Amino acid sequence: MFPSAGRKRGRYAAGGRGAVEFGSPLLEVVEALGRGFAERELLDWGGVALRLTGVTVLMPPDFASGRAVFRTTTPVVMKGSGHGEDGVRTTRQDWLLPTEPQWAGYFQGNLQRKAETLGLDPGVELESVTWVGPKRSFSVGQGLKPGAAVEVELTGPPETLQALWSWGLGQANAAGFGWVAA
């Protein structure tokens, strides 16, 4: 986030003072990133030179109550099955927006798969979607990925909620989608 950077259609703008956040649900990865960044003065991020003036490790909230409200700063992307009503696949690019009826089911499945991938309790539930931002599409690889920022209420085991806070919501998190605001 670079508050003084001029806006550019279809991309995140960088310039002036700002902050770049990296995250992982694996503490070992976060520690390695923190050590690596602390040893550098300059980071080349896709051809943008970022001068590093400080590194701060943010630990996730404890979520002791088993409840969390997450708001993303980047669009959440979610892909559906691509199957028509007859069960035949009609597209491989079946992107769903949070306002579509199927979105919640695919989102719920994504939360559970992330927990299972990390060996955590998958008993996390999407309680409600309380806010949906405007549709935004970004070019990633060979195509556009559409999505929208969201605010969701989740319940589940605190350790699972912490991992989701650190990982991000939806798909394509490694490309910057679904970043949860700290």
Side-chain angles (χ1 to χ4, degrees), residues 141-159:
Q142 299 298 318
L144 290 176
K145 290 189 179 187
V150 297
E151 182 178 271
V152 295
E153 292 182 11
L154 305 176
T155 57
E159 187 177 21

Side-chain angles (χ1 to χ4, degrees), residues 74-98:
T74 58
V76 172
V77 296
M78 203 82 274
K79 190 182 270 192
S81 71
H83 291 94
E85 291 183 20
D86 58 2
V88 175
R89 181 180 290 262
T90 59
T91 180
R92 297 190 72 63
Q93 301 301 315
D94 184 22
W95 299 105
L96 300 173
L97 294 172

Side-chain angles (χ1 to χ4, degrees), residues 73-151:
T73 58
T74 58
V76 172
V77 296
M78 203 82 274
K79 190 182 270 192
S81 71
H83 291 94
E85 291 183 20
D86 58 2
V88 175
R89 181 180 290 262
T90 59
T91 180
R92 297 190 72 63
Q93 301 301 315
D94 184 22
W95 299 105
L96 300 173
L97 294 172
T99 54
E100 296 179 61
Q102 310 96 322
W103 186 87
Y106 283 98
F107 182 80
Q108 176 71 47
N110 179 267
L111 297 173
Q112 292 169 336
R113 276 190 303 282
K114 285 180 175 181
E116 291 167 352
T117 298
L118 296 171
L120 299 173
D121 184 340
V124 62
E125 297 288 330
L126 170 64
E127 297 295 325
S128 65
V129 178
T130 55
W131 174 80
V132 176
K135 177 186 174 189
R136 298 195 60 199
S137 296
F138 291 95
S139 178
V140 178
Q142 299 298 318
L144 290 176
K145 290 189 179 187
V150 297
E151 182 178 271

